[in-house]
Amino acid sequence: MANPGSDGSNHRPLLAWVLLCTLAVVWGSSFILMKLSLQIFTSEQVAAGRIMLAWLFFLPLIGYQARQPAVRETVRSRWVYLLIAGLLGNLLPAFLFAIAGAHLNSSLAGALNSLSPLFTLLIGAAFFGGSIRARQLTGVLLGLAGSVLLIFFSATGAFSVNGYALLIALATLCYGLNINLIGKYLSHLPPLVSSGWIFALIGPIALAALLLTPYNPAIWQAEHRWSLLALLVLGVFGSGVMTVLFNRVVQLTSPVFAASVTYLMPIVSLGWGFVAGEIIYLPQYIGMGICLLGVWLSNRR
């Protein structure tokens, strides 16, 4: 297993690349799925609903693991880190992305999400004993410059502070901190154990938040079935299955390499944006290009 504080360049098996590409396809599609879900659900319902669905997906596994003394002891000793990982890596970003997703093109949301490996690198160097080279620093600065362009150009192409883009930037900051925490404190756990118990701890919080939102019986109408299906896919696959795969990539390589999934995701989200007829303006294309170039420089061998 690679040292979580390293760049992981010395150990990148084929399985890690396969899992990384799978993550990119599913998570890159999550932005358009949120758009579909938001046609009938509120932002709070989309965020809390996807976490609750992932929790329900893991419930049988959690019940099985709870009967194993070794797993119970491990969870008891690491529950604080599991809870923090759930809050930073799943619950809080779910709300931030759902709120921003109601106001941003899915292509732009995907591009801004590529800030995750930059924050992973910076936080790892600042607080987790990681190193950062001059080339990586150049990449970080480029990535941040590209994100500034995206933040300061609205969805209409006008020059103005885009507060919803800042929400996604905050979500990627949470991701960067969470990935380093997983690499340092949870990477020794089997992915099914860490993923299952992360949702066991935050699932009840999501359920409570969901119960506080107004019930809309229209969700069961036939014309809204695609919105309901999109939320199911977001919860079970986007938040559930993919969390297991992501934790496995962290185990196989390093936090920075695992976070690099976010510079493959914009390719997927941009493709869905074209399919959905979203309009992207020239300054936004430039911002996305600079951002992705920066992420590539900070992660290449």
Side-chain angles (χ1 to χ4, degrees):
M1 184 183 301
N3 181 354
S6 70
D7 63 3
S9 60
N10 61 332
H11 183 52
R12 295 181 181 177
L14 178 61
L15 177 60
W17 285 104
V18 172
L19 295 180
L20 195 77
C21 292
T22 304
L23 286 164
V25 171
V26 176
W27 279 348
S29 302
S30 65
F31 305 103
I32 197 68
L33 290 172
M34 275 189 281
K35 284 283 189 185
L36 285 171
S37 301
L38 288 165
Q39 291 177 1
I40 186 62
F41 296 102
T42 66
S43 299
E44 294 78 14
Q45 288 171 334
V46 170
R50 67 182 296 186
I51 299 300
M52 188 198 69
L53 287 167
W55 174 41
L56 294 177
F57 168 78
F58 281 115
L59 267 182
L61 178 66
I62 295 167
Y64 170 75
Q65 293 175 348
R67 295 193 295 269
Q68 301 179 27
V71 174
R72 288 203 306 270
E73 182 59 32
T74 299
V75 172
R76 190 179 296 112
S77 64
R78 295 284 173 172
W79 73 269
V80 173
Y81 298 116
L82 290 167
L83 177 60
I84 293 173
L87 295 174
L88 291 178
N90 295 277
L91 191 63
L92 182 56
F95 278 90
L96 293 172
F97 272 107
I99 294 169
H103 303 274
L104 290 179
N105 287 340
S106 57
S107 305
L108 298 182
L112 279 167
N113 195 51
S114 65
L115 287 173
S116 295
L118 304 185
F119 283 127
T120 301
L121 187 66
L122 288 174
I123 293 171
F127 302 106
F128 292 87
S131 60
I132 182 169
R133 302 181 181 89
R135 168 181 49 77
Q136 291 174 315
L137 182 60
T138 301
V140 168
L141 294 176
L142 277 175
L144 293 177
S147 67
V148 166
L149 272 177
L150 294 176
I151 289 170
F152 280 90
F153 281 90
S154 67
T156 62
F159 182 79
S160 62
V161 177
N162 192 334
Y164 296 106
L166 285 172
L167 292 181
I168 293 185
L170 177 59
T172 61
L173 179 63
C174 292
Y175 283 149
L177 178 56
N178 176 62
I179 293 169
N180 279 287
L181 286 171
I182 289 175
K184 185 174 179 63
Y185 298 108
L186 300 174
S187 63
H188 66 288
L189 297 180
L192 284 174
V193 172
S194 59
S195 301
W197 286 94
I198 279 172
F199 284 100
L201 292 170
I202 64 172
I205 301 174
L207 176 59
L210 189 61
L211 292 175
L212 293 175
T213 63
Y215 173 68
N216 183 0
I219 62 174
W220 304 111
Q221 296 175 1
E223 60 265 31
H224 299 307
R225 63 183 182 275
W226 291 112
S227 296
L228 183 58
L229 179 61
L231 184 58
L232 286 170
V233 173
L234 273 174
V236 175
F237 289 96
S239 294
V241 177
M242 293 304 111
T243 300
V244 178
L245 299 190
F246 181 79
N247 289 346
R248 180 58 176 156
V249 173
V250 174
Q251 280 190 329
L252 289 171
T253 56
S254 72
V256 172
F257 177 76
S260 66
V261 65
T262 55
Y263 70 84
L264 297 175
M265 288 165 56
I267 300 172
V268 179
S269 62
L270 188 62
W272 281 116
F274 278 121
V275 172
E278 294 179 347
I279 300 174
I280 307 297
Y281 296 89
L282 181 60
Q284 295 166 334
Y285 273 118
I286 295 173
M288 286 193 293
I290 294 174
C291 194
L292 294 178
L293 175 63
V295 176
W296 176 77
L297 278 176
S298 66
N299 281 275
R300 78 182 184 90
R301 297 188 183 190

